[in-house]
Amino acid sequence: MPQIGADDVNPLTARTTSVASAFDLPANLRSKADPALIAGDEQHFAAIAGSLEQSIADLSQRLDTERKAPGGIGQKAMDRDMEIHRLAARLRALRRFGWDLCLGHIVSADNPEPVYIGRLGLTDSEGGRLLLDWRSPAAEPFFGATHANPMGLTSRRRYRWTGGRISDYWDEVFSTDGTLEFDHRATLDDQSAFIASLGSNRTSQMRDVLGTIQADQDAIIRAGSRGALVVDGGPGTGKTVVALHRSAYLLYSDPRLGHHRGRVLFVGPHQPYLAYVADVLPSLGEEGVQTCTLRDLVAEGVAATIESDPNVARLKSSANLVKAVETAVRFYEDPPTKGLTVTTHWSNIWLSPDDWAEAFEAPEPGTPHNDGRDQIWEELLTILMDKHDGDVSADLLRKSLLQNRELLTTFNRAWPLLEAADLIGDLWSVPAYLRKCAPWLSPDDVQALQRTDAHAWTVSDLPILDAARQRLGDPEASRRTRRHKAAVAVEREQMAKVVDNIMDSDDDGEGAVTMLRGEDTETLLIDETALLTIDPDLLAGPFAHIVVDEAQELTDAEWQMLLLRCPSRSFTIVGDRAQARHGFTESWQERLERIGLSQIKLASLSINYRTPEEVMAEAEPVIRAVLPDANVPTSIRSTGVPVVHGSASELGSILDTWLAAHADGIACVIGSGDIDDQMFQATSRVRLLTPELSKGLEFDLVILIDPAGFGTGIEGAVDRYVAMTRATQQLVILTSS
């Protein structure tokens, strides 16, 4: 997410000191500059400008004060950090916008005063409302009103912002009063602001679409978060827009989520996709969403390769192997069946099999294996100390037990610290261990899953590794805990010496200084939290809600990675069954119930806002050939530009011609094989991607190279369909022969 520092130029100040108006309408829209139409807006924007400048100044001062304040310890330190984060996030949001915080305004039938809708809520110095946050219930008609259901509105105005100033605006009149429509005649348009914006050039990041969210999309964005909501829609229907805006909306509106960092996780299909959408959530005034791909959830994901054997990939895609991790761990959690005589300096203590079993029951259900180890060890020490019959201090006895090698060796064998990579590596290299943990596998399956390099991780291994890491916990945690306790003990010992020295200087041993003898006071003097420096894994969860885009690609095993991180089972699941590279013959209901979800609701998007009719006419037969019942959306616009077919040798000249004719916009060359560097040069305006990595993205010009080579069957057809429907303006298909 972009960071804006205190020394960055404030766009608001730059604009308001150099221009007198928020409107910068071109000459052909001079009629829209009539003061009778925009004077009210100008006055309101002036108030917004003043409030923004004051708010930025106030927030800067408060943030500076908080940063200079004493850090404190424990909860006080956490509260201070949270307040600094909240103030800094708000300040960044205000600094990145000026007047263009405002999306438009609505006028209701029962109130002639316009209500201005903003990316964020904003008030003046007296508490009067200047901007209503787009996520508030009162702002819903701005997005949801239609002529069939005006939701109490008489009119709605939307702005188009260019360089921080209004380059166009549109009015929609819902009233049947002819006078009102006559008054707005100069600002009415045959096309809505949304339709007019569809033909604009793309950039390297998803463009801002908040001001033109459509009613069908907004209804899904504002749906409740209980259970799993599936958003099913074909290419260009705005699924990604819905997913991103819903993430910001839920953080604002759902009291279960609140404004806590890390409470919502957004999962995208690949890194180019995350880079493309990176600025959307900050532009919505929201920084409290963690974003990642499935690879990011596991440390080994960075270097993991694609499984070369389709049969092995199929076996690992099942949730069964993920669940086998439990058996694999339980193998290392059996209490000794033989007793042990523990020898101390003062007596011999008998540790019976029942004592071992009692200690092994100490961890609460669900405690990670490595975390439970310390709890069992403490329980063992308690049992032994209770059984000791002799006159010795508890500290001396405990120290003796801690140094008993036979006890430690037996305990380490019975409940060892385990690494996830070693555990799963053993499954892929010890056939007998795999058969014990997954008895349903056939001998051929067991053999197929074995490999020479057990740690040569593939993407198919990641869900199983993740399950192991979640079940085991961090093996270093126990060592860190012991080091922490040792450090605290040293601090206590040093503090005790300080107190003794102070007491020695107090001749009569009386007065306020005697309070330092209290154990509680000594504890307060030691900042134990300062000794802990481990940052939490932001992707480990738990999360209150998870949004998954391109969800049709997830295997049953990969779904387990997300279920582990969302105990509430609150999901937004965005996808298109027709874009599943490996097929999706079930219904969403069947698939999701099988992987462990319930309370499933389905919402469908069927209007293609992105892809022109000309492109869809060519793409539809491609997917229908393998999936006759595919949910192919209906395009609502036409560019008049036909799909071009040609030779791959023309690639360079086609790109040169397009770049010369278009000063803005992004082109993408999509191919599955190596493309000769002599044919073209990838630049910031010309991308080169595989069909799989193009998923979720959009480009003005898309050029397919040898699409027949993308593959056969469903996978090949889906890759061709996905690649073709990335185009917002023009599609070119080139072949080598």
Side-chain angles (χ1 to χ4, degrees):
M1 295 182 181
Q3 303 292 310
I4 301 179
D7 296 331
D8 292 327
V9 175
N10 179 359
L12 172 68
T13 304
R15 294 168 195 156
T16 55
T17 56
S18 60
V19 296
S21 173
F23 288 85
D24 186 20
L25 301 171
N28 65 311
L29 298 179
R30 190 168 300 162
S31 60
K32 289 188 175 184
D34 186 338
L37 295 171
I38 65 173
D41 284 353
E42 293 279 37
Q43 184 178 1
H44 200 81
F45 288 140
I48 290 173
S51 178
L52 270 175
E53 291 189 18
Q54 186 60 51
S55 296
I56 289 171
D58 291 345
L59 281 170
S60 298
Q61 183 176 1
R62 290 170 59 190
L63 184 58
D64 187 55
T65 300
E66 284 289 341
R67 284 172 170 163
K68 291 178 179 178
I73 61 175
Q75 186 62 44
K76 183 178 179 182
M78 292 178 62
D79 291 343
R80 173 179 174 271
D81 289 346
M82 288 299 295
E83 179 64 6
I84 288 175
H85 170 76
R86 187 188 68 80
L87 292 173
R90 175 74 175 180
L91 189 57
R92 282 193 296 271
L94 293 183
R95 278 180 171 156
R96 68 174 289 154
F97 292 106
W99 289 315
D100 48 348
L101 265 177
C102 184
L103 304 171
H105 68 63
I106 52 179
V107 178
S108 62
D110 55 3
N111 186 359
E113 289 298 318
V115 174
Y116 288 79
I117 312 301
R119 300 174 181 279
L120 301 169
L122 192 68
T123 59
D124 59 25
S125 58
E126 298 178 354
R129 183 177 62 197
L130 294 174
L131 289 176
L132 185 65
D133 192 297
W134 70 272
R135 294 169 287 190
S136 67
E140 186 174 356
F142 180 77
F143 304 96
T146 64
H147 287 278
N149 179 23
M151 301 177 70
L153 299 189
T154 58
S155 68
R156 169 173 56 198
R157 173 169 292 186
R158 300 179 191 260
Y159 305 116
R160 173 182 287 176
W161 295 93
T162 305
R165 299 177 70 192
I166 295 172
S167 57
D168 202 353
Y169 68 95
W170 294 264
D171 283 334
E172 294 170 84
V173 176
F174 301 101
S175 171
T176 57
D177 185 344
T179 303
L180 182 59
E181 186 166 339
F182 180 81
D183 291 341
H184 287 258
R185 65 192 183 284
T187 63
L188 297 176
D189 202 294
D190 291 337
Q191 289 185 315
S192 71
F194 175 68
I195 298 298
S197 71
L198 293 177
S200 60
N201 294 319
R202 267 49 182 179
T203 66
S204 60
Q205 289 193 312
M206 177 176 277
R207 58 193 175 83
D208 180 16
V209 297
L210 177 56
T212 53
I213 292 291
Q214 295 299 281
D216 60 338
Q217 298 169 332
D218 186 64
I220 297 172
I221 290 169
R222 295 176 187 269
S225 65
R226 300 285 178 181
L229 173 65
V230 179
V231 183
D232 181 81
T237 55
K239 299 187 301 297
T240 297
V241 167
V242 167
L244 291 164
H245 288 68
R246 180 164 166 77
S247 300
Y249 172 77
L250 289 177
L251 267 179
Y252 174 89
S253 65
D254 194 322
R256 298 183 310 112
L257 276 59
H259 289 280
H260 303 294
R261 299 176 71 183
R263 298 295 285 159
V264 173
L265 178 67
F266 185 98
V267 182
H270 47 68
Q271 284 299 332
Y273 168 95
L274 291 185
Y276 180 58
V277 304
D279 194 48
V280 174
L281 285 165
S283 75
L284 300 175
E286 188 54 72
E287 296 185 2
V289 178
Q290 295 292 333
T291 61
C292 72
T293 68
L294 286 171
R295 281 178 178 261
D296 298 328
L297 298 177
V298 185
E300 292 82 358
V302 175
T305 60
I306 301 299
E307 191 73 60
S308 59
D309 187 336
N311 180 49
V312 172
R314 178 186 60 80
L315 290 171
K316 292 180 180 178
S317 71
S318 167
N320 288 332
L321 271 182
V322 175
K323 294 172 182 176
V325 167
E326 178 63 28
T327 305
V329 175
R330 285 288 184 188
F331 181 79
Y332 294 97
E333 295 182 346
D334 284 335
T337 56
K338 294 182 178 180
L340 174 69
T341 299
V342 180
T343 302
T344 72
H345 297 295
W346 306 275
S347 67
N348 294 328
I349 309 172
W350 175 246
L351 195 62
S352 69
D354 288 342
D355 293 330
W356 280 108
E358 179 184 345
F360 272 45
E361 292 175 358
E364 293 290 330
T367 302
H369 170 90
N370 292 323
D371 295 348
R373 188 177 187 276
D374 284 342
Q375 298 175 29
I376 294 171
W377 178 244
E378 288 298 323
E379 185 65 19
L380 277 174
L381 294 179
T382 299
I383 291 172
L384 288 166
M385 292 173 72
D386 288 344
K387 293 183 110 181
H388 173 72
D389 184 15
D391 186 17
V392 62
S393 71
D395 287 343
L396 284 176
L397 178 58
R398 180 181 176 87
K399 185 175 292 187
S400 175
L401 292 172
L402 288 172
Q403 295 172 352
N404 189 297
R405 290 194 174 184
E406 186 178 9
L407 175 63
L408 283 168
T409 300
T410 305
F411 174 62
N412 286 334
R413 288 173 179 168
W415 195 293
L417 283 173
L418 296 175
E419 293 273 2
D422 293 337
L423 187 84
I424 304 308
D426 287 346
L427 290 176
W428 307 154
S429 58
V430 183
Y433 184 43
L434 179 57
R435 283 195 297 271
K436 176 180 176 62
C437 299
W440 62 86
L441 291 174
S442 70
D444 288 343
D445 289 341
V446 170
Q447 188 57 44
L449 288 167
Q450 302 301 297
R451 61 190 184 207
T452 304
D453 184 356
H455 289 184
W457 305 118
T458 68
V459 174
S460 299
D461 291 321
L462 300 184
I464 307 168
L465 276 167
D466 183 61
R469 191 156 287 125
Q470 294 276 339
R471 176 62 177 83
L472 293 173
D474 184 359
E476 287 296 318
S478 177
R479 301 183 184 102
R480 287 197 298 267
T481 299
R482 288 196 295 270
R483 288 194 293 267
H484 172 63
K485 288 180 177 179
V488 170
V490 171
E491 288 267 327
R492 290 185 184 279
E493 186 175 348
Q494 292 175 346
M495 185 56 63
K497 291 178 181 179
V498 171
V499 172
D500 287 340
N501 290 335
I502 294 175
M503 291 299 298
D504 289 343
S505 67
D506 186 9
D507 294 337
D508 57 7
E510 297 180 356
V513 76
T514 59
M515 294 173 61
L516 293 173
R517 280 295 186 195
E519 182 179 347
D520 291 342
T521 303
E522 290 186 17
T523 301
L524 289 172
L525 292 173
I526 301 169
D527 183 3
E528 296 188 16
T529 61
L531 302 174
L532 293 173
T533 58
I534 304 302
D535 292 331
D537 180 1
L538 294 178
L539 298 179
F543 294 94
H545 188 83
I546 295 182
V547 181
V548 192
D549 202 357
E550 303 294 348
Q552 73 278 351
E553 299 294 357
L554 270 62
T555 66
D556 289 6
E558 288 170 335
W559 271 113
Q560 304 309 306
M561 302 170 77
L562 301 182
L563 293 177
L564 279 170
R565 288 166 170 79
C566 191
S568 68
R569 298 296 190 263
S570 175
F571 281 86
T572 299
I573 297 162
V574 183
D576 177 15
R577 293 168 59 247
Q579 293 185 61
R581 299 183 73 242
H582 302 293
F584 198 128
T585 57
E586 308 160 282
S587 68
W588 280 108
Q589 185 91 15
E590 291 168 335
R591 169 69 62 86
L592 297 177
E593 285 180 347
R594 189 179 73 240
I595 59 97
L597 287 175
S598 59
Q599 292 184 275
I600 301 164
K601 296 167 288 186
L602 180 64
S604 182
L605 295 170
S606 58
I607 301 174
N608 189 336
Y609 299 109
R610 177 183 66 213
T611 317
E613 290 178 347
E614 292 82 0
V615 173
M616 285 307 297
E618 188 124 355
E620 182 172 353
V622 171
I623 197 64
R624 293 274 190 222
V626 293
L627 296 171
D629 64 341
N631 178 17
V632 179
T634 302
S635 295
I636 61 170
R637 68 187 185 98
S638 170
T639 60
V641 180
V643 175
V644 174
H645 292 263
S647 169
S649 61
E650 301 175 75
L651 175 60
S653 61
I654 290 173
L655 283 171
D656 290 342
T657 300
W658 184 83
L659 289 169
H662 298 82
D664 300 304
I666 303 290
C668 186
V669 178
I670 302 178
S672 59
D674 294 332
I675 297 178
D676 191 343
D677 292 340
Q678 304 296 321
M679 298 174 69
F680 85 104
Q681 188 68 39
T683 67
S684 60
R685 292 191 59 205
V686 180
R687 304 280 302 279
L688 173 62
L689 294 172
T690 63
E692 189 173 3
L693 289 181
S694 72
K695 184 165 287 187
L697 308 180
E698 55 184 30
F699 308 95
D700 298 277
L701 169 67
V702 169
I703 302 176
L704 304 192
I705 304 295
D706 292 324
F710 289 2
T712 58
I714 290 179
E715 184 172 329
V718 167
D719 280 352
R720 285 187 285 277
Y721 179 61
V722 168
M724 295 170 78
T725 55
R726 300 308 94 194
T728 65
Q729 297 293 327
Q730 185 178 8
L731 173 65
V732 175
I733 300 175
L734 304 179
T735 57
S736 297
S737 56

